[in-house]
Amino acid sequence: MPYWNHPWTMGWAGGIGMLVLMALVLAALVVLAVVLARRGPQPPPPADTARRILDERFARGEIDQEEYERRRDALTRTR
């Protein structure tokens, strides 16, 4: 029994529409995967790394407080 005699069937237009819908869903999934992959952890900016190293050197006693403050001020001025 052919399906085109029934009013609830969509015929060729429905088949093409389903293919388009599946392609759109697949494209949305790919876009979502790319967006989520790019949102991964970002490395800290270089200035923060320099400040961290300066803090560590001061904590270890390699530089005194005057040298620490001078270099810290120099780092904050360059930003």
Side-chain angles (χ1 to χ4, degrees), residues 14-77:
I16 293 172
M18 286 300 288
L19 287 176
V20 169
L21 181 63
M22 287 190 314
L24 288 174
V25 169
L26 181 61
L29 289 174
V30 169
V31 168
L32 180 65
V34 168
V35 167
L36 290 177
R38 290 187 179 179
R39 288 184 53 192
Q42 301 294 324
D48 292 342
T49 304
R51 176 65 187 267
R52 183 181 50 80
I53 293 170
L54 181 64
D55 291 343
E56 289 173 1
R57 288 187 65 201
F58 180 64
R60 286 192 299 258
E62 295 177 8
I63 57 175
D64 61 356
Q65 185 173 354
E66 182 181 320
E67 180 72 14
Y68 171 77
E69 290 172 356
R70 186 176 64 78
R71 290 182 183 215
R72 183 192 63 204
D73 292 342
L75 285 174
T76 57
R77 273 183 281 160

Side-chain angles (χ1 to χ4, degrees), residues 1-6:
M1 172 174 243
Y3 291 110
W4 57 81
N5 291 334
H6 301 287

